Amino acid sequence: MNTALEPVIQSLIDEKYALIEDRYHSGMSVLAELKNRIFGKKDKSDFKAYRGKRSEFHEASNRLLVPVRDNKIALEKSPDIGWLKELYPDIANFMLSFPQIQGLNSSWQWYLKGISYPGLNKKIHPYYGAYFPTRFEHLRLFYNWLKNYSGPKTAAIDVGTGCGVLSFQLLTQGFEKVIASDINSNSLISVSKSAEKFGFEDRLDILQSDLFDQIDHKADLIVFNPPWLPAQSEITGLDHAIYYEPGLFERFFEQAHNHLNAEGTLVLLFSNLAQTEGVTQLHPVKTELSNYNRFRKVDLLEKKAVKASRKSKRRSHRKNEIIELWVLEKVLSAD
Ligand SMILES: C[S@@+](CC[C@H](N)C(=O)[O-])C[C@H]1O[C@@H](n2cnc3c(N)ncnc32)[C@H](O)[C@@H]1O
């Protein structure tokens, strides 16, 4: 324990704010000590207890503040984060929390570097706040399925497009028109910037929509890589990529049925993560198929998830994870 940091750690825990005034690295040291203090030697395989500590850490760490002046972090030896100019062009002097700065920094690094995804000949550079995958099993599974897809390719809808990766795969594989939608507005900025780079602007409609609320087209193919875990509390922003609220899948299947052409195909990417993490035994796709007569299963492709790296804290939960690609067709009513 670094005793010099003890008063700062105690303030953060006591719900007081603290401002870093010297070096960027001081912020890292404070967060490392705070983590030790809150988590102690807690067993990380107890997922529920771990979640409680995580939210305590989240709140305390966000009381550690960083000064920003003229679009730069006003601390010695700080990283240069282009988002500060892009997102706050007219604010000269303000503060952000250290975790916010870390998030901006990490996002900026990904944006600069870009990511190569299966089936795409150019990198995607995800805009701040847009979800982008860093594991590729589901993208490979979808791309391999798509290469063998022989149905009509007039129009597809990519619900919850994130950084647009599935839309770009669809366009690369010859879909004439793709509608990419997401509830997250940053995701739409991201997709529209990438669409220009790929030269797909004319064949891609990008819109902000809660599921199909703003979509009035029908499609030959609808694809949805939804959040895979049920939310345990209220969710905002990027959490929508990971956690789903009650009723999301009921609404999705009902609306998807209305937006799919008669001979159309519905593809969902999912995994058994909620089961392997002990969160729920319920599986939204299986629930839909057994409770309603709207869709029929055509195929289920499965792939074992690649084990997380040895450094990952979550490796025990990922060990038995299976990624799933569900192919469904529409059940037409008798009348
Ligand atoms: C797991 S991410 C998938 C992103 C991308 N399709 C991919 O495969 O990488 C889920 C996406 O669904 C979006 N989303 C969640 N709830 C939504 C809703 N009700 N309507 C539209 N999009 C939603 C999230 O914002 C997120 O971008």
Side-chain angles (χ1 to χ4, degrees):
M1 172 83 196
N2 180 345
T3 48
L5 297 178
E6 181 51 29
V8 184
I9 305 291
Q10 196 53 53
S11 309
L12 297 174
I13 289 175
D14 292 343
E15 303 190 11
K16 292 185 194 127
Y17 287 84
L19 177 67
I20 311 168
E21 290 177 295
D22 52 0
R23 290 170 305 133
Y24 185 81
H25 194 264
S26 304
M28 313 268 281
S29 308
V30 171
L31 287 202
E33 289 294 343
L34 184 67
K35 196 173 250 171
N36 277 342
R37 174 80 173 266
I38 289 180
F39 287 95
K41 295 214 175 330
K42 271 269 159 307
D43 177 8
K44 290 178 180 117
S45 64
D46 180 352
F47 188 63
K48 283 188 183 139
Y50 184 61
R51 199 194 302 240
K53 292 282 169 194
R54 222 168 45 185
S55 94
E56 193 185 330
F57 177 71
H58 174 78
E59 285 179 21
S61 59
N62 273 287
R63 290 192 277 268
L64 182 64
L65 303 178
V66 176
V68 179
R69 245 167 261 135
D70 300 327
N71 307 123
K72 293 202 179 317
I73 301 171
L75 297 174
E76 278 171 49
K77 302 208 170 143
S78 296
D80 222 352
I81 305 175
W83 293 135
L84 292 172
K85 193 168 177 58
E86 169 91 12
L87 302 174
Y88 307 96
D90 304 323
I91 314 180
N93 204 339
F94 64 106
M95 285 180 263
L96 287 171
S97 76
F98 199 80
Q100 282 171 324
I101 287 285
Q102 286 180 308
L104 284 161
N105 186 30
S106 148
S107 158
W108 184 247
Q109 299 309 322
W110 282 108
Y111 177 74
L112 288 181
K113 195 159 154 245
I115 307 158
S116 300
Y117 286 119
L120 303 185
N121 61 6
K122 286 194 175 72
K123 286 181 171 184
I124 288 184
H125 296 261
Y127 193 82
Y128 177 72
Y131 171 82
F132 58 94
T134 51
R135 299 167 69 219
F136 297 171
E137 295 99 335
H138 65 289
L139 301 174
R140 282 197 201 97
L141 207 52
F142 179 64
Y143 183 63
N144 289 334
W145 175 84
L146 187 61
K147 279 193 294 185
N148 295 316
Y149 166 83
S150 57
K153 291 186 172 176
T154 312
I157 301 174
D158 172 17
V159 178
T161 189
C163 68
V165 53
L166 303 178
S167 288
F168 296 128
Q169 288 182 331
L170 288 162
L171 289 161
T172 303
Q173 287 303 303
F175 269 83
E176 289 166 36
K177 186 101 205 156
V178 174
I179 297 166
S181 75
D182 206 291
I183 200 164
N184 172 342
S185 52
N186 289 41
S187 147
L188 309 171
I189 301 175
S190 193
V191 180
S192 120
K193 283 180 181 286
S194 297
E196 266 177 49
K197 203 175 137 200
F198 279 93
F200 284 145
E201 307 100 298
D202 296 346
R203 290 161 57 205
L204 188 62
D205 284 351
I206 305 162
L207 46 100
Q208 187 169 15
S209 176
D210 178 3
L211 298 177
F212 294 87
D213 280 0
Q214 305 301 319
I215 302 176
D216 50 16
H217 285 77
K218 287 199 171 197
D220 305 312
L221 176 65
I222 294 174
V223 58
F224 188 25
N225 175 19
W228 291 349
L229 294 172
Q232 313 277 313
S233 52
E234 207 189 318
I235 51 171
T236 52
L238 258 180
D239 287 346
H240 281 286
I242 314 289
Y243 303 104
Y244 60 87
E245 283 163 342
L248 179 89
F249 285 95
E250 287 81 350
R251 286 197 295 128
F252 171 79
F253 284 111
E254 187 188 352
Q255 298 178 2
H257 193 261
N258 296 330
H259 284 80
L260 198 59
N261 286 334
E263 308 292 323
T265 303
L266 173 60
V267 169
L268 279 121
L269 294 159
F270 210 68
S271 97
N272 62 348
L273 185 63
Q275 281 97 331
T276 58
E277 294 214 344
V279 184
T280 179
Q281 287 305 311
L282 290 177
H283 187 301
V285 185
K286 291 181 189 166
T287 304
E288 165 65 24
L289 292 175
S290 61
N291 289 4
Y292 299 93
N293 190 27
R294 294 187 278 224
F295 294 99
R296 191 178 301 115
K297 177 178 140 192
V298 177
D299 212 348
L300 169 60
L301 308 177
E302 293 177 306
K303 195 170 190 322
K304 216 168 171 340
V306 176
K307 274 191 200 142
S309 79
R310 289 170 62 83
K311 283 189 202 146
S312 168
K313 298 179 184 98
R314 307 187 82 188
R315 67 180 181 276
S316 58
H317 304 295
R318 295 285 192 195
K319 204 165 60 192
N320 299 317
E321 191 184 349
I322 308 277
I323 309 296
E324 305 164 348
L325 183 147
W326 292 81
V327 184
L328 311 182
E329 66 183 6
K330 185 166 167 166
V331 173
L332 301 171
S333 55
D335 44 52

